[in-house]
Amino acid sequence: MTLDEVPKIQVHFEVVIPGTILPERATSNRAFYDIYSAESVDILPGDVVKVRTGLKMQCPSGYFIEIRPRSSIATKYKVIIPNSPAVIDSDYGEEVLVPMLNLSKAIYHIDKHNRIAQMNVVRYNDIEWSYKKITGTSGFGST
């Protein structure tokens, strides 16, 4: 599949902090778009801070925005997104905030316009529940 064949999903946005950077891909072949901080903030060791993106974003019904951590932040600085992957449903109408948890012993500083997470739009399925006795012998950790 070429890049021209990848479907485009329209995401509406509203800027709530002037100077906010829209999510963007570093290269055209990246699956996820980088999300930028709209503020400078320090995250103390052991703390969770909801980092402002300065954006309200809304995708079409039948889709959701998935937010994931950037691997470099987690591996280099031990700062993670505790509810990862995070979900922004199509009916969410507030500013997108990215909760970040500092697992290190040092203060983690984020400058305004730093890349803090990554996102894409994902289609979801409507589930039809059907009762059936479930059998099997393998459990958690069996493979």
Side-chain angles (χ1 to χ4, degrees):
M1 176 182 290
T2 68
L3 190 57
D4 292 332
E5 297 170 314
V6 174
K8 293 195 183 323
I9 306 300
Q10 188 173 61
V11 175
H12 300 287
F13 72 93
E14 179 184 341
V15 174
V16 296
I17 298 176
T20 293
I21 299 174
L22 285 177
E24 58 187 10
R25 290 189 293 193
T27 69
S28 61
N29 286 319
R30 300 283 170 93
F32 279 69
Y33 290 71
D34 289 324
I35 296 175
Y36 296 84
S37 172
E39 63 181 345
S40 293
V41 64
D42 285 328
I43 307 173
L44 299 176
D47 278 359
V48 175
V49 172
K50 295 176 189 170
V51 181
R52 297 185 69 185
T53 65
L55 293 171
K56 292 182 178 183
M57 292 188 274
Q58 211 164 42
C59 59
S61 181
Y63 294 86
F64 63 92
I65 295 170
E66 180 179 294
I67 298 177
R68 295 182 178 194
R70 295 186 68 239
S71 59
S72 60
I73 294 175
T75 57
K76 289 181 185 176
Y77 305 105
K78 298 181 182 176
V79 175
I80 64 169
I81 298 173
N83 63 325
S84 177
V87 172
I88 307 297
D89 291 305
S90 63
D91 61 353
Y92 182 74
E94 298 298 320
E95 178 183 0
V96 174
L97 306 173
V98 178
M100 300 186 76
L101 167 61
N102 184 354
L103 297 173
S104 78
K105 294 180 176 158
I107 295 172
Y108 182 72
H109 178 75
I110 298 171
D111 283 320
K112 184 174 182 174
H113 298 153
N114 277 166
R115 294 177 297 163
I116 57 168
Q118 51 188 340
M119 63 152 284
N120 208 326
V121 178
V122 180
R123 184 169 189 82
Y124 65 83
N125 298 298
D126 195 16
I127 297 173
E128 180 179 315
W129 295 98
S130 173
Y131 177 80
K132 177 183 176 183
K133 177 108 173 119
I134 308 296
T135 60
T137 57
S138 297
F140 187 82
S142 63
T143 58

